[in-house]
Amino acid sequence: MTDPFLGNPQNTIAVLQKYHFNFQKKFGQNFLIDTHVLDKIIRAAEITKDDFVLEIGPGIGTMTQYLAQAAREVVAVEIDKALIPILQDTLSGFPNAEVIQDDILKVDIAELAAERNGGRPIKVVANLPYYITTPIIMSLFEHDVPLALVTVMVQKEVAERMQAGPGSKDYGALSLAVQYYADPYIVANVPPNCFMPRPNVGSAVIRLTRHKVPPVQVEDEKLMFQMIRASFNQRRKTLVNGLNHSPEMTLTKEQITEAVEGLGKGAGVRGEALTLEEFAKLSNTIYQMKLS
């Protein structure tokens, strides 16, 4: 196996020129060109020679080379057809790395984990395009994929939202969804000059360690997330009004008020003041009210 060589900006430029590659704005392409950041990602992802790693959006294969060197096997899923010949070239010295040309949201990751890793939890590593970060992360968590760790490079602001707690301006539906499924930890902030081309915003590497069991028990997961979305859709509204205006809520305003008052925070409380535990409790109360 060759040593990784793409963390060096000159080598990245040489590969892009060789293939006359044009960056696609629609795919949000920004390639990492900093070996320190690459090392940090590999360390944060805790990759060992026993691991099967799924990489999302390998670009020209910069991080893929580092992953292949550290892991037993890497499968990288790339949506951009124009990058496939480049990846075949840059990964030719890494026999344990394979590239699949597809949209990650259409790939059956559970099946891939079953085939390649005997159904054991896999590790996911990605430098995610900003426009599709949330759908990708939520689809990994919601589709019963066996996951151990998800280590991703995202927009700094999005990483902060994932880690935020009640009462802060960053706290919202994404914070609650991520924290229901995983324990988020920001590993490093990454400035724009670590990428080619330079993005307009700062990035951060965040590691999401999958909970073995959810931190709260809910009767109906779907109902809880409907409520969370409804309570943050219009942040200025009280929780009672937010839920009352949601087309998905079938209870009367009186019932909703009664359920919210049961939390002991008064009827005028806003969604952003509630913890995940309180949303779970409220959702279980509303679930019981719907049954009766």
Side-chain angles (χ1 to χ4, degrees):
M1 188 186 293
T2 7
D3 281 335
F5 55 85
L6 279 174
N8 174 321
Q10 283 75 25
N11 294 344
T12 296
I13 292 164
V15 167
L16 296 174
Q17 285 175 341
K18 178 180 173 184
Y19 286 91
H20 307 291
F21 180 76
N22 294 314
F23 289 95
Q24 295 285 333
K25 212 162 179 62
K26 66 175 174 179
F27 295 137
Q29 290 167 336
N30 300 94
F31 301 152
L32 251 177
I33 47 164
D34 188 302
T35 54
H36 298 298
V37 176
L38 287 155
D39 286 333
K40 269 184 189 162
I41 293 170
I42 301 296
R43 275 203 306 275
E46 297 173 4
I47 291 164
T48 71
K49 284 290 179 198
D50 293 331
D51 288 326
F52 171 81
V53 179
L54 170 69
E55 185 188 8
I56 302 168
I60 60 168
T62 308
M63 190 146 65
T64 325
Q65 292 185 343
Y66 279 72
L67 292 169
Q69 196 181 39
R72 183 188 84 238
E73 184 184 2
V74 181
V75 168
V77 178
E78 176 52 60
I79 195 169
D80 186 358
K81 286 190 180 72
L83 284 166
I84 302 305
I86 302 180
L87 285 161
Q88 283 164 349
D89 181 356
T90 60
L91 299 176
S92 59
F94 299 86
N96 60 338
E98 181 191 335
V99 179
I100 296 173
Q101 196 270 310
D102 207 342
D103 175 348
I104 192 65
L105 294 174
K106 293 177 182 159
V107 174
D108 187 337
I109 302 170
E111 191 183 308
L112 193 66
E115 279 174 18
R116 302 301 181 87
N117 209 39
R120 293 190 311 278
I122 64 170
K123 290 178 179 173
V124 175
V125 178
N127 176 10
L128 292 178
Y130 299 153
Y131 72 97
I132 201 168
T133 296
T134 305
I136 288 176
I137 286 177
M138 293 326 297
S139 115
L140 284 171
F141 286 142
E142 285 166 359
H143 289 110
D144 287 330
V145 176
L147 292 173
L149 289 175
V150 179
T151 309
V152 288
M153 172 89 69
V154 296
Q155 195 171 336
K156 183 168 181 266
E157 184 188 305
V158 174
E160 286 165 351
R161 290 217 307 269
M162 289 183 198
Q163 219 186 356
S168 74
K169 68 171 176 37
D170 294 324
Y171 186 62
L174 179 63
S175 326
L176 285 152
V178 165
Q179 290 165 34
Y180 176 72
Y181 291 109
D183 178 25
Y185 172 71
I186 293 177
V187 175
N189 288 320
V190 184
N193 62 356
C194 296
F195 297 91
M196 180 186 298
R198 287 174 65 135
N200 298 325
V201 291
S203 304
V205 178
I206 188 164
R207 180 180 61 207
L208 309 172
T209 308
R210 182 73 196 252
H211 293 309
K212 290 201 169 38
V213 289
V216 293
Q217 299 305 304
V218 278
E219 305 277 358
D220 183 343
E221 227 173 75
K222 192 172 163 215
L223 172 67
M224 181 175 78
F225 284 119
Q226 282 173 349
M227 282 174 32
I228 286 171
R229 277 193 299 274
S231 66
F232 285 100
N233 267 349
Q234 291 155 306
R235 290 180 81 105
R236 302 192 68 78
K237 281 198 165 128
T238 63
L239 181 58
V240 168
N241 284 338
L243 295 177
N244 189 44
H245 284 98
S246 167
E248 294 167 322
M249 283 291 144
T250 51
L251 301 177
T252 65
K253 189 168 183 181
E254 287 69 34
Q255 287 175 303
I256 292 170
T257 305
E258 185 194 328
V260 169
E261 284 181 333
L263 294 172
K265 290 194 158 187
V269 70
R270 288 201 169 103
E272 63 204 50
L274 264 59
T275 62
L276 178 59
E277 288 70 26
E278 286 165 334
F279 271 113
K281 185 182 171 189
L282 181 61
S283 132
N284 290 341
T285 304
I286 286 176
Y287 178 78
Q288 292 302 332
M289 282 177 164
K290 280 179 150 187
L291 289 183
S292 58

